[in-house]
Amino acid sequence: MSSIILYFSRAGENYVSGAIRNLTKGNTEIAAEMIQKLTGADLFKIEPSVEYSYHYNECIEEARQDQKRDARPELAAYPQQLEGYDEIYLGYPNYWGTMPMPVFTLLDKMDFTGKTVRPFCTHEGSGMGRSLQDIKRLCKGAVVEEGLAICGAKVQTAETDIRKWLNKDLE
């Protein structure tokens, strides 16, 4: 079974353990790289053509406005195709109770019929929110499996939880 990891992640100022901290790499990207290491899946980063602000407070306001408008921001690139993949790992931070709107853009544009979608998200206390319902609505014809919610502040030590979710034996 061939797999790909589609993920959205944002470096810069982020809310971590009750404080705003500067991250050189986003938490979801760290989780995506762990999944790639454990599965050998291909990796594709979802990036909007116009990035969200580096500054946390501006970013969350931009994201809130996107969600309020049900925006579909244009992406810098799209995966060439998903035809060769049976399993899709879909990663994102929880923005306002669901996925960032660039992830909605990708899900709207791609055909997930016959695919297995395995969502994972990073968060600071809000878990998966309503993202699983949104994924099921947008990925018609796909099997959407149970998601994995990873606390962003603990992503560096999440490999055991990721292994369990992947059903990989612990070494």
Side-chain angles (χ1 to χ4, degrees):
M1 181 184 305
S2 60
S3 305
I4 188 169
I5 304 161
L6 306 173
Y7 73 96
F8 176 92
S9 191
R10 189 184 146 280
E13 288 182 354
N14 277 266
Y15 184 80
V16 180
S17 296
I20 295 176
R21 299 214 168 92
N22 185 42
L23 303 181
T24 56
K25 184 181 283 193
N27 292 324
T28 307
E29 185 167 5
I30 292 167
E33 289 173 349
M34 284 182 187
I35 293 167
Q36 182 186 40
K37 180 182 113 184
L38 294 168
T39 65
D42 292 337
L43 201 59
F44 181 86
K45 186 173 184 178
I46 302 166
E47 298 179 274
S49 295
V50 177
E51 292 183 18
Y52 286 118
S53 174
Y54 170 89
H55 301 286
Y56 176 75
N57 289 321
E58 290 173 21
C59 171
I60 63 169
E61 182 56 27
E62 292 166 352
R64 187 176 73 79
Q65 289 301 320
D66 273 359
Q67 191 177 87
K68 191 175 179 179
R69 292 188 330 267
D70 199 25
R72 296 298 187 269
E74 187 58 40
L75 301 182
Y78 293 85
Q80 288 192 343
Q81 63 181 5
L82 296 180
E83 289 174 20
Y85 299 104
D86 302 310
E87 188 170 49
I88 314 280
Y89 296 96
L90 180 65
Y92 48 89
N94 183 325
Y95 276 19
W96 297 105
T98 190
M99 305 168 288
M101 298 315 286
V103 179
F104 280 77
T105 300
L106 181 74
L107 298 183
D108 273 348
K109 299 258 186 195
M110 306 298 291
D111 182 8
F112 290 86
T113 304
K115 310 293 183 198
T116 298
V117 178
R118 301 195 70 197
F120 64 99
C121 83
T122 57
H123 66 93
E124 285 298 318
S126 52
M128 299 293 290
R130 67 179 180 281
S131 63
L132 287 177
Q133 296 94 307
D134 289 335
I135 293 166
K136 288 175 182 176
R137 180 174 49 82
L138 294 166
C139 295
K140 291 178 181 32
V143 173
V144 179
E145 293 193 348
E146 181 180 339
L148 174 66
I150 304 165
C151 179
K154 298 177 182 175
V155 72
Q156 297 285 355
T157 59
E159 187 171 326
T160 299
D161 291 335
I162 291 171
R163 282 179 178 274
K164 285 179 188 173
W165 178 67
L166 293 171
N167 297 316
K168 297 284 184 187
D169 292 330
L170 297 174
E171 294 175 359

